[in-house]
Amino acid sequence: MTRMKSIEGRDRRGPRSRFALSRLSIGIALALTVGSCTPRLSDVIDQPGVPHSVDRGFIGKAADIYYAGFGAVADGYVDAIEPSTLALASLNGVGRLDDKVRMVLRANRIAIHYDDRSIAELVAPERDDVSGWAQTTALAVETARRSSSKLAEASESMLFEATFDSMTESLDRYSRYENELEGRVNKASRQGYSGIGAGLVQNTNPDSVAISKVFEGSPAEEAGVREGDIIGSVDGTSTDNLNVEDVANLMRGPVGTLVRVGLYRETLRFDLEIRRAQVIEPTVFYQPVGDVAYLRISYFNIGTTDGLREKIAQAKTEIPGGMKGLILDLRQNRGGNLSQSLEVADLFIEDGHQLLLTNGRTLGSRRSYIASANNDVSEVPMVVLIDGGSASASEIVASALQDSNRALVVGTRSFGKGTIQNIVELPNQSFLIFTSARMHAPSGYTLSHFGVFPSICTQDSYGTDDGTTTDLHLDQIASNEALGLRRRADQLSKFDKSKLETYCTGDHPPSSDDSDVRIASRLLHSAELYRQAAAASQIAFRAEPANAL
């Protein structure tokens, strides 16, 4: 586990202090203050100009959902933002469902137009009144539904998706809204679910749902399910005319219960009785490459660190003569769980080394994460593989291992996401995901935009089998100047930044048998070459950047 400490600093949440209600959602405490002058919902609905036919039930439900969303973002977003700004951005989204609807703020009124005709004017709350803006947004949407047939026909889910999509797009490229279905699928990917441990895919010829993958060690694997099996029934219910989500819902159920699955395999038709279990999708994959352990992490979920420990233990026992080195492949790994990335880095880095700095607007978002003494393989030389698809949690691991001089980083520069997102479950079981902090490597540079630069760039050599140890030393290790510039990127001119943007780019799909892996293996088998590459990286890092925090 990692040890955490809050970095001291002034709370920069801005002027808003009118929240008094506190809620807990997905483990995130949200302090929300409701102003004493916030009107009752009935008063908001009964103001002049509002149609008498409005659905008060929908308005109440929608107000609760908008309240949770606006309050969470106003309280925790990385930059100060007022509830009024969030609400108006949400209302802009209504036009996505019917472009005849237009809502604009004029003085202290929200004017609602349909087909260039004014249909209502609502009183605008004070700019920092979360509850007032939640109620007004719900009322504005419902008022527009009274005039628009397209909005009237749209489901509630579509309305919330259109408005929250518009709101999150006004924040930054990484903030987003997930509807109930998307949220359920992604939550299962992050935290696991109760089922049999198999992936599903929709076949078109014939129209059916089939097994796309069977997770290692899962109930499905133990029962004999194979990739390509077609699902004909679940507990006697035919899967004809059902989609993947329908079949997945039939397969899931309480842990320990039995499910009978009817399968077709070529000409065979048979049933399997499978006991459901808590399933966490495997994200760590191991393969020996000679006397080196090749370990790939596809994504960071709650089982990643435990999975990595198990694979390292397996490598230690399976590789004859012992493991001589370790290759950690993070290529095309888009990120995932923050705490898991820190625990993965902590497996390899000695006690006291910094793993990550985070910098946000609230006190809780400004932290320093420090390695503990629980490193498993601190003595084994190590190479980390990254590429343009390595993002977020992957960049945390790569930068921590590089800055601590624990591993050489090989490949192309990473994606450059560099931000942390809070995940908040809303009352309608959808999810709001918004940026709460910016990430900095232990040496201080921000991970945003330029990402992590490799110690050895393989942009030009990827896909080739040539290149001797001497070539590797003379050409590819000569990236120390670019590494130094990367560390000082925030201080560079626009011209120098533009040069950095073209440095060492590319996507290298992960494989245990490609030129990146062969270069990594070459480094791990040459102590002198490994030492020279590590020294070049550290020379590049000597010039201190400006204080990131």
Side-chain angles (χ1 to χ4, degrees), residues 263-294:
L263 298 173
Y264 293 95
R265 183 181 298 162
E266 296 178 348
T267 59
L268 299 177
R269 167 66 171 88
F270 58 96
D271 288 348
L272 290 177
E273 198 168 68
I274 307 172
R275 190 172 300 279
R276 297 181 178 101
Q278 183 65 18
V279 175
I280 300 174
E281 185 171 348
T283 60
V284 183
F285 307 91
Y286 157 69
Q287 185 171 336
V289 179
D291 53 9
V292 170
Y294 169 85

Short mmCIF file of all heavy atoms in Angstrom, two decimals, residues 263-294:
data_model
loop_
_atom_site.label_atom_id
_atom_site.label_comp_id
_atom_site.label_asym_id
_atom_site.label_seq_id
_atom_site.Cartn_x
_atom_site.Cartn_y
_atom_site.Cartn_z
N LEU A 263 -25.45 -24.20 -24.47
CA LEU A 263 -24.43 -23.78 -25.43
C LEU A 263 -24.48 -24.63 -26.70
O LEU A 263 -24.84 -25.81 -26.67
CB LEU A 263 -23.03 -23.91 -24.80
CG LEU A 263 -22.74 -23.05 -23.57
CD1 LEU A 263 -21.39 -23.42 -22.97
CD2 LEU A 263 -22.80 -21.57 -23.92
N TYR A 264 -24.09 -23.98 -27.81
CA TYR A 264 -23.86 -24.66 -29.08
C TYR A 264 -22.37 -24.57 -29.40
O TYR A 264 -21.79 -23.48 -29.36
CB TYR A 264 -24.66 -24.01 -30.21
CG TYR A 264 -26.15 -24.16 -30.09
CD1 TYR A 264 -26.92 -23.16 -29.49
CD2 TYR A 264 -26.80 -25.29 -30.57
CE1 TYR A 264 -28.29 -23.28 -29.38
CE2 TYR A 264 -28.18 -25.43 -30.46
CZ TYR A 264 -28.91 -24.42 -29.86
OH TYR A 264 -30.28 -24.54 -29.76
N ARG A 265 -21.77 -25.70 -29.70
CA ARG A 265 -20.36 -25.75 -30.10
C ARG A 265 -20.26 -26.65 -31.33
O ARG A 265 -20.36 -27.86 -31.24
CB ARG A 265 -19.49 -26.27 -28.97
CG ARG A 265 -17.99 -26.28 -29.28
CD ARG A 265 -17.20 -26.85 -28.11
NE ARG A 265 -17.38 -26.03 -26.91
CZ ARG A 265 -17.10 -26.46 -25.67
NH1 ARG A 265 -16.64 -27.70 -25.49
NH2 ARG A 265 -17.28 -25.65 -24.63
N GLU A 266 -20.11 -25.99 -32.48
CA GLU A 266 -20.13 -26.69 -33.76
C GLU A 266 -21.45 -27.48 -33.86
O GLU A 266 -22.52 -26.87 -33.85
CB GLU A 266 -18.90 -27.58 -33.89
CG GLU A 266 -17.59 -26.77 -33.92
CD GLU A 266 -16.37 -27.65 -33.99
OE1 GLU A 266 -16.48 -28.88 -33.81
OE2 GLU A 266 -15.28 -27.08 -34.22
N THR A 267 -21.41 -28.81 -33.89
CA THR A 267 -22.65 -29.58 -34.04
C THR A 267 -23.23 -30.02 -32.70
O THR A 267 -24.28 -30.67 -32.66
CB THR A 267 -22.38 -30.83 -34.90
OG1 THR A 267 -21.37 -31.63 -34.28
CG2 THR A 267 -21.92 -30.42 -36.30
N LEU A 268 -22.55 -29.67 -31.61
CA LEU A 268 -22.99 -30.12 -30.29
C LEU A 268 -23.95 -29.11 -29.66
O LEU A 268 -23.84 -27.90 -29.85
CB LEU A 268 -21.79 -30.31 -29.36
CG LEU A 268 -20.75 -31.35 -29.77
CD1 LEU A 268 -19.60 -31.35 -28.78
CD2 LEU A 268 -21.40 -32.74 -29.85
N ARG A 269 -24.91 -29.62 -28.90
CA ARG A 269 -25.80 -28.79 -28.08
C ARG A 269 -25.78 -29.39 -26.68
O ARG A 269 -26.12 -30.56 -26.49
CB ARG A 269 -27.23 -28.80 -28.64
CG ARG A 269 -28.30 -28.23 -27.71
CD ARG A 269 -28.10 -26.73 -27.46
NE ARG A 269 -29.24 -26.14 -26.73
CZ ARG A 269 -29.36 -26.10 -25.42
NH1 ARG A 269 -28.41 -26.67 -24.67
NH2 ARG A 269 -30.40 -25.51 -24.86
N PHE A 270 -25.39 -28.61 -25.66
CA PHE A 270 -25.27 -29.15 -24.30
C PHE A 270 -25.50 -28.04 -23.28
O PHE A 270 -25.44 -26.84 -23.60
CB PHE A 270 -23.90 -29.78 -24.09
CG PHE A 270 -22.74 -28.83 -24.32
CD1 PHE A 270 -22.14 -28.15 -23.27
CD2 PHE A 270 -22.25 -28.61 -25.62
CE1 PHE A 270 -21.09 -27.27 -23.49
CE2 PHE A 270 -21.19 -27.74 -25.84
CZ PHE A 270 -20.62 -27.07 -24.78
N ASP A 271 -25.78 -28.44 -22.05
CA ASP A 271 -25.99 -27.51 -20.95
C ASP A 271 -24.84 -27.62 -19.95
O ASP A 271 -24.31 -28.72 -19.71
CB ASP A 271 -27.30 -27.81 -20.21
CG ASP A 271 -28.52 -27.43 -21.03
OD1 ASP A 271 -28.35 -26.74 -22.06
OD2 ASP A 271 -29.64 -27.82 -20.65
N LEU A 272 -24.49 -26.48 -19.36
CA LEU A 272 -23.52 -26.45 -18.28
C LEU A 272 -24.13 -25.72 -17.10
O LEU A 272 -24.77 -24.68 -17.25
CB LEU A 272 -22.23 -25.72 -18.70
CG LEU A 272 -21.34 -26.39 -19.73
CD1 LEU A 272 -20.16 -25.49 -20.09
CD2 LEU A 272 -20.84 -27.73 -19.21
N GLU A 273 -23.96 -26.29 -15.91
CA GLU A 273 -24.41 -25.64 -14.69
C GLU A 273 -23.20 -24.97 -14.04
O GLU A 273 -22.22 -25.63 -13.70
CB GLU A 273 -25.04 -26.66 -13.74
CG GLU A 273 -25.92 -26.01 -12.67
CD GLU A 273 -26.76 -27.04 -11.94
OE1 GLU A 273 -26.15 -27.86 -11.21
OE2 GLU A 273 -28.00 -27.04 -12.09
N ILE A 274 -23.28 -23.66 -13.88
CA ILE A 274 -22.12 -22.89 -13.43
C ILE A 274 -22.51 -22.09 -12.19
O ILE A 274 -23.57 -21.46 -12.14
CB ILE A 274 -21.65 -21.92 -14.54
CG1 ILE A 274 -21.41 -22.68 -15.85
CG2 ILE A 274 -20.39 -21.17 -14.12
CD1 ILE A 274 -21.13 -21.78 -17.04
N ARG A 275 -21.62 -22.11 -11.18
CA ARG A 275 -21.88 -21.37 -9.96
C ARG A 275 -21.29 -19.96 -10.09
O ARG A 275 -20.11 -19.79 -10.35
CB ARG A 275 -21.28 -22.07 -8.73
CG ARG A 275 -21.72 -21.46 -7.40
CD ARG A 275 -21.26 -22.32 -6.23
NE ARG A 275 -21.80 -23.67 -6.28
CZ ARG A 275 -23.02 -24.01 -5.87
NH1 ARG A 275 -23.83 -23.08 -5.38
NH2 ARG A 275 -23.43 -25.26 -5.95
N ARG A 276 -22.15 -18.97 -9.90
CA ARG A 276 -21.70 -17.57 -10.04
C ARG A 276 -20.72 -17.20 -8.94
O ARG A 276 -20.82 -17.69 -7.81
CB ARG A 276 -22.90 -16.62 -9.99
CG ARG A 276 -23.91 -16.78 -11.13
CD ARG A 276 -25.02 -15.77 -10.98
NE ARG A 276 -26.01 -15.83 -12.06
CZ ARG A 276 -27.19 -16.41 -11.96
NH1 ARG A 276 -27.52 -17.04 -10.83
NH2 ARG A 276 -28.04 -16.41 -12.98
N ALA A 277 -19.81 -16.30 -9.27
CA ALA A 277 -18.82 -15.81 -8.31
C ALA A 277 -18.56 -14.34 -8.60
O ALA A 277 -18.98 -13.80 -9.63
CB ALA A 277 -17.52 -16.61 -8.42
N GLN A 278 -17.88 -13.69 -7.65
CA GLN A 278 -17.46 -12.31 -7.90
C GLN A 278 -16.35 -12.34 -8.95
O GLN A 278 -15.33 -12.99 -8.76
CB GLN A 278 -16.95 -11.66 -6.62
CG GLN A 278 -16.55 -10.20 -6.76
CD GLN A 278 -17.73 -9.28 -7.09
OE1 GLN A 278 -18.88 -9.66 -6.90
NE2 GLN A 278 -17.45 -8.10 -7.58
N VAL A 279 -16.58 -11.66 -10.05
CA VAL A 279 -15.65 -11.70 -11.18
C VAL A 279 -14.97 -10.35 -11.34
O VAL A 279 -15.64 -9.31 -11.43
CB VAL A 279 -16.39 -12.06 -12.49
CG1 VAL A 279 -15.43 -11.97 -13.68
CG2 VAL A 279 -17.00 -13.45 -12.38
N ILE A 280 -13.67 -10.36 -11.33
CA ILE A 280 -12.88 -9.17 -11.64
C ILE A 280 -12.08 -9.51 -12.89
O ILE A 280 -11.28 -10.44 -12.90
CB ILE A 280 -11.94 -8.79 -10.49
CG1 ILE A 280 -12.75 -8.50 -9.22
CG2 ILE A 280 -11.10 -7.58 -10.86
CD1 ILE A 280 -11.91 -8.27 -7.99
N GLU A 281 -12.32 -8.76 -13.95
CA GLU A 281 -11.69 -9.08 -15.22
C GLU A 281 -10.17 -9.04 -15.11
O GLU A 281 -9.60 -8.06 -14.62
CB GLU A 281 -12.16 -8.10 -16.29
CG GLU A 281 -11.64 -8.44 -17.68
CD GLU A 281 -12.29 -7.60 -18.76
OE1 GLU A 281 -13.29 -6.92 -18.47
OE2 GLU A 281 -11.79 -7.64 -19.90
N PRO A 282 -9.48 -10.10 -15.54
CA PRO A 282 -8.00 -10.10 -15.49
C PRO A 282 -7.42 -8.97 -16.34
O PRO A 282 -7.87 -8.70 -17.45
CB PRO A 282 -7.63 -11.47 -16.07
CG PRO A 282 -8.86 -12.31 -15.94
CD PRO A 282 -10.01 -11.36 -16.08
N THR A 283 -6.43 -8.30 -15.80
CA THR A 283 -5.77 -7.21 -16.53
C THR A 283 -4.26 -7.42 -16.65
O THR A 283 -3.59 -6.62 -17.28
CB THR A 283 -6.02 -5.87 -15.82
OG1 THR A 283 -5.49 -5.93 -14.48
CG2 THR A 283 -7.49 -5.54 -15.76
N VAL A 284 -3.75 -8.50 -16.06
CA VAL A 284 -2.30 -8.76 -16.08
C VAL A 284 -2.04 -10.08 -16.79
O VAL A 284 -2.67 -11.10 -16.48
CB VAL A 284 -1.72 -8.81 -14.65
CG1 VAL A 284 -0.21 -9.00 -14.70
CG2 VAL A 284 -2.08 -7.55 -13.87
N PHE A 285 -1.11 -10.04 -17.75
CA PHE A 285 -0.81 -11.22 -18.56
C PHE A 285 0.70 -11.44 -18.57
O PHE A 285 1.48 -10.51 -18.78
CB PHE A 285 -1.36 -11.02 -19.97
CG PHE A 285 -2.82 -10.65 -19.98
CD1 PHE A 285 -3.23 -9.32 -19.95
CD2 PHE A 285 -3.80 -11.64 -19.96
CE1 PHE A 285 -4.57 -8.99 -19.92
CE2 PHE A 285 -5.14 -11.31 -19.93
CZ PHE A 285 -5.53 -9.98 -19.91
N TYR A 286 1.09 -12.70 -18.36
CA TYR A 286 2.52 -13.04 -18.20
C TYR A 286 2.96 -14.03 -19.27
O TYR A 286 2.21 -14.94 -19.64
CB TYR A 286 2.75 -13.64 -16.82
CG TYR A 286 3.98 -14.51 -16.71
CD1 TYR A 286 5.26 -13.95 -16.80
CD2 TYR A 286 3.86 -15.89 -16.55
CE1 TYR A 286 6.38 -14.76 -16.72
CE2 TYR A 286 4.97 -16.70 -16.46
CZ TYR A 286 6.23 -16.13 -16.55
OH TYR A 286 7.34 -16.93 -16.49
N GLN A 287 4.19 -13.84 -19.72
CA GLN A 287 4.82 -14.80 -20.61
C GLN A 287 6.33 -14.72 -20.42
O GLN A 287 6.90 -13.62 -20.42
CB GLN A 287 4.47 -14.50 -22.07
CG GLN A 287 5.01 -15.54 -23.04
CD GLN A 287 4.45 -15.33 -24.45
OE1 GLN A 287 3.39 -14.75 -24.62
NE2 GLN A 287 5.19 -15.78 -25.44
N PRO A 288 7.00 -15.86 -20.26
CA PRO A 288 8.47 -15.80 -20.16
C PRO A 288 9.08 -15.52 -21.53
O PRO A 288 8.64 -16.05 -22.54
CB PRO A 288 8.84 -17.20 -19.67
CG PRO A 288 7.70 -18.08 -20.10
CD PRO A 288 6.48 -17.22 -20.08
N VAL A 289 10.07 -14.65 -21.55
CA VAL A 289 10.86 -14.38 -22.76
C VAL A 289 12.29 -14.74 -22.41
O VAL A 289 13.06 -13.90 -21.92
CB VAL A 289 10.74 -12.91 -23.19
CG1 VAL A 289 11.58 -12.65 -24.44
CG2 VAL A 289 9.28 -12.54 -23.46
N GLY A 290 12.63 -16.00 -22.61
CA GLY A 290 13.92 -16.49 -22.14
C GLY A 290 13.95 -16.45 -20.62
O GLY A 290 13.06 -16.99 -19.96
N ASP A 291 14.95 -15.79 -20.07
CA ASP A 291 15.05 -15.68 -18.62
C ASP A 291 14.50 -14.35 -18.11
O ASP A 291 14.79 -13.92 -16.99
CB ASP A 291 16.49 -15.86 -18.16
CG ASP A 291 17.46 -14.92 -18.87
OD1 ASP A 291 16.99 -14.03 -19.60
OD2 ASP A 291 18.68 -15.09 -18.69
N VAL A 292 13.69 -13.70 -18.93
CA VAL A 292 13.06 -12.42 -18.58
C VAL A 292 11.55 -12.62 -18.49
O VAL A 292 10.96 -13.34 -19.30
CB VAL A 292 13.39 -11.33 -19.62
CG1 VAL A 292 12.55 -10.07 -19.39
CG2 VAL A 292 14.88 -11.00 -19.58
N ALA A 293 10.92 -11.98 -17.50
CA ALA A 293 9.47 -12.05 -17.35
C ALA A 293 8.84 -10.89 -18.11
O ALA A 293 9.14 -9.72 -17.84
CB ALA A 293 9.09 -11.98 -15.88
N TYR A 294 7.99 -11.22 -19.07
CA TYR A 294 7.22 -10.21 -19.81
C TYR A 294 5.85 -10.13 -19.16
O TYR A 294 5.10 -11.11 -19.11
CB TYR A 294 7.10 -10.60 -21.28
CG TYR A 294 6.10 -9.76 -22.06
CD1 TYR A 294 6.46 -8.54 -22.60
CD2 TYR A 294 4.78 -10.20 -22.24
CE1 TYR A 294 5.54 -7.77 -23.32
CE2 TYR A 294 3.86 -9.45 -22.95
CZ TYR A 294 4.24 -8.23 -23.48
OH TYR A 294 3.34 -7.47 -24.18
#
